[in-house]
Amino acid sequence: MKQRTRLIHGGISGDPSTGAVSVPIYQVSTYKQDGIGKHKGYEYSRTGNPTRHALEELIKDIENGEAGFAFGSGMAAINAVMMLFNAGDHLILTDDVYGGTYRIMTKVLNRLGIDVSFVDTSNINNIENEIRDNTRAIYIETPTNPLLKITDIKATAELAQSKNLYLIVDNTFSTPYWQNPISLGANIVIHSATKYLGGHSDLVAGLVVVDSGELAQKLHFIQNSTGGVLGPQDSWLLIRGIKTLGVRMEEHERNAQEIVAFLQQHPSIKKVYYPGLKTHPGHEIAKKQSRGFGGMISFDVGSEEAVEKLLNRVKYFTLAESLGAVESLISVPAKMTHASIPKEQREKVGITDGLIRISVGLEDIEDLINDLKYALS
Ligand SMILES: *Cc1c(COP(=O)(O)O)cnc(C)c1O
């Protein structure tokens, strides 16, 4: 089955008992048992719910994994994955990870004895040099947020395997439509489904896919024990969003390519970050491991004042956190998503005060370019 078909026919389709073509919302907490321990596969909705199960089967299929798990947010998904580790374990993470990931590692999980190193994983030597006796996993984002740096998933997976480490990939930016890390050797894939998978700025959710029965068992135990599950309404809404992921991603990318071309020739723009650019340092690897470059663009306008001016004048780019929705969103990483990263650390990785990140939406491209043209004039 091709990916675009799988988005619609993967997982569990419809409801065999009524013929409904959409999976019903099973708004229920508990299930009648015919005798003690005798049930139809569901006992209690924290442990399992049919609507959530349909979503979990769908994400498993479209990420080519062994099992899927749905959580109440991307952070709850990340937290559950981190519960695989023990006090005294060490993890290596990409240095410009999502701000919330940086925060949970350095302000919450550090208190429980999980140790981390942040390195530029786009250079595999940096990862290799950081591996210690107690290192248990490599955790990467590619493309990264917001500089869209690329890490070679296959090479990192080979390194991880040779050292007996898990490779965990936050695949939020690429989505399973463009990139499937498990097929490249990763063990665990994480999504903030709040972004492209949901796609309409109307829900908060997180998903995890694992590549083995052993990890599936462990993660289900953690999901059931810690309880951060996604409710049936949001599970249904997410299934609905995923059905159109293919058409949306194609269009996000088409619009993004045109905006990149516009920004590149504009005299007020100091730098444009987009993995689809031949001049982007990760371009060749991105081309090899992904089927598309996505709809996220970052660019540097040089100063906080220039950022201020642009923000005051744009009409169709909504100033907001988040990304991946039908509406174009604009954000200032240094002040918003990455505010929890100390300024010194931020500037070291290139997240300057003049950096703007846009999530290109599905509006008419002429309107979007005219909007930016006016805002930059
Ligand atoms: C938003 C985001 C998260 C966190 O997900 P939530 O759904 O907001 O909890 C994690 N990783 C990346 C790359 C994100 O963009």
Side-chain angles (χ1 to χ4, degrees):
M1 216 189 291
K2 293 270 203 313
Q3 193 69 325
R4 249 166 114 150
T5 310
R6 229 167 0 164
L7 294 170
I8 294 157
H9 294 283
I12 295 165
S13 305
D15 178 31
S17 66
T18 61
V21 295
S22 143
V23 174
I25 301 170
Y26 284 90
Q27 193 68 46
V28 62
S29 61
T30 194
Y31 306 79
K32 178 174 177 284
Q33 306 193 7
D34 295 330
I36 296 168
K38 268 196 236 156
H39 53 76
K40 299 183 171 70
Y42 298 97
E43 303 163 78
Y44 186 64
S45 280
R46 168 161 36 73
T47 316
N49 171 283
T51 315
R52 192 178 90 227
H53 182 61
L55 167 65
E56 293 174 332
E57 288 292 301
L58 179 59
I59 190 65
K60 173 200 81 175
D61 279 357
I62 62 180
E63 278 290 15
N64 302 330
E66 183 67 29
F69 301 91
F71 296 89
S73 70
M75 288 319 303
I78 291 169
N79 183 53
V81 168
M82 290 305 160
M83 292 298 109
L84 290 167
F85 302 102
N86 298 308
D89 286 353
H90 170 251
L91 279 80
I92 300 168
L93 278 80
T94 301
D95 59 2
D96 57 346
V97 278
Y98 176 70
T101 306
Y102 183 86
R103 181 173 52 201
I104 194 176
M105 298 313 302
T106 59
K107 298 235 160 71
V108 181
L109 296 170
N110 62 318
R111 291 194 284 105
L112 307 182
I114 293 174
D115 192 15
V116 286
S117 300
F118 294 95
V119 303
D120 180 351
T121 54
S122 65
N123 179 347
I124 196 149
N125 296 327
N126 294 338
I127 307 176
E128 196 154 14
N129 291 338
E130 204 59 42
I131 297 175
R132 308 173 189 167
D133 289 343
N134 61 338
T135 304
R136 297 286 172 264
I138 303 167
Y139 180 111
I140 62 171
E141 276 179 36
T142 179
T144 61
N145 179 20
L147 295 175
L148 306 165
K149 279 196 287 194
I150 304 293
T151 293
D152 188 328
I153 300 173
K154 193 155 175 276
T156 309
E158 280 162 11
L159 172 65
Q161 200 170 22
S162 76
K163 304 278 182 185
N164 224 355
L165 313 175
Y166 286 130
L167 175 61
I168 306 167
V169 181
D170 180 332
N171 203 27
T172 301
F173 270 41
S174 279
T175 82
Y177 186 68
W178 292 136
Q179 179 172 282
N180 296 115
I182 287 178
S183 306
L184 298 163
N187 307 104
I188 302 175
V189 169
I190 297 174
H191 284 284
S192 168
T194 311
K195 317 294 167 56
Y196 285 110
L197 294 175
H200 296 74
S201 306
D202 52 13
L203 75 105
V204 172
L207 296 170
V208 176
V209 181
V210 298
D211 76 330
S212 72
E214 189 199 333
L215 271 176
Q217 232 170 12
K218 283 185 180 167
L219 210 68
H220 184 256
F221 184 82
I222 290 168
Q223 185 191 41
N224 189 38
S225 302
T226 59
V229 294
L230 189 66
Q233 300 257 358
D234 283 347
S235 294
W236 180 86
L237 202 50
L238 192 45
I239 293 171
R240 187 190 213 270
I242 290 172
K243 285 183 207 288
T244 57
L245 183 68
V247 281
R248 285 188 287 109
M249 291 314 287
E250 295 282 353
E251 201 61 24
H252 281 301
E253 171 149 322
R254 233 191 311 277
N255 278 356
Q257 303 264 17
E258 296 214 27
I259 290 176
V260 165
F262 163 76
L263 290 172
Q264 269 206 301
Q265 52 75 49
H266 200 285
S268 327
I269 307 295
K270 307 280 175 285
K271 190 161 182 176
V272 181
Y273 300 87
Y274 186 67
L277 285 171
K278 284 198 180 63
T279 52
H280 188 282
H283 178 71
E284 286 306 317
I285 293 165
K287 218 165 72 178
K288 195 180 65 174
Q289 67 190 15
S290 320
R291 295 174 290 271
F293 303 110
M296 300 300 300
I297 306 166
S298 290
F299 55 98
D300 204 319
V301 293
S303 69
E304 204 173 328
E305 296 72 55
V307 167
E308 222 28 55
K309 267 191 210 148
L310 185 132
L311 291 180
N312 286 334
R313 300 184 80 175
V314 283
K315 198 162 55 175
Y316 298 123
F317 288 86
T318 305
L319 179 66
E321 308 245 3
S322 201
L323 61 104
V326 291
E327 52 283 307
S328 290
L329 301 175
I330 190 164
S331 74
V332 185
K335 295 270 146 55
M336 300 166 71
T337 44
H338 290 63
S340 53
I341 299 178
K343 188 178 166 82
E344 194 182 286
Q345 164 85 1
R346 262 198 286 116
E347 304 234 313
K348 210 174 81 192
V349 299
I351 306 171
T352 62
D353 290 342
L355 190 76
I356 287 180
R357 186 193 79 179
I358 55 176
S359 168
V360 180
L362 304 182
E363 298 91 342
D364 189 281
I365 187 61
E366 245 179 80
D367 285 336
L368 293 181
I369 288 185
N370 284 337
D371 200 23
L372 287 173
K373 205 180 272 175
Y374 171 73
L376 287 165
S377 67

